[in-house]
Amino acid sequence: MWNPSKKTRTIASRILTVLFSITMVFHVVALFQLIPYQYLWGGRLSNLEEMYVMETVALIVNGFFLWSSVQYLRYINRGLVPIWIRILFGFIGVIFLLNTLGNLVAITNLETLLATPVTAILSAICFSLVPKYEN
């Protein structure tokens, strides 16, 4: 089984930290309506109220993902990553894999072309953090 090195896992965690931070900024920008809601969530939102609910949930979830990435970095620096956080990244990887499939069938081309590769990369990075690691 593939077992990434500490350096690979550290880089992966840092990439996730940066990407989740950028994603949170995107969701804040969406909440301030700087992006028309018609372009968000695969073009399936029908009004501003839906946008506020979905973007708020997305912001909270991405905050949790960001926290998880920071925790992984903390544990990898100590030399032992506990099983609960590895399972968590397996779960997050599945979420992004399903999101990738959803982006492929989005109504808006922007989401299909822009978000699909991002979520696919996020999924692959999350799965790279799942194998057991001990220093």
Side-chain angles (χ1 to χ4, degrees), residues 13-28 59 62-63 65-67 69-70 122:
S13 294
R14 287 184 178 156
I15 289 170
L16 287 177
T17 300
V18 169
L19 289 176
F20 291 142
S21 297
I22 291 169
T23 303
M24 289 182 71
V25 170
F26 172 82
H27 289 298
V28 169
L59 198 55
N62 275 278
F65 292 164
L66 177 61
W67 175 83
S69 299
V70 171
L122 284 169

Side-chain angles (χ1 to χ4, degrees), residues 114-132:
L114 186 64
T116 300
V118 172
T119 56
I121 291 167
L122 284 169
S123 180
I125 292 172
C126 287
F127 285 133
S128 76
L129 298 177
V130 173
K132 185 175 182 180

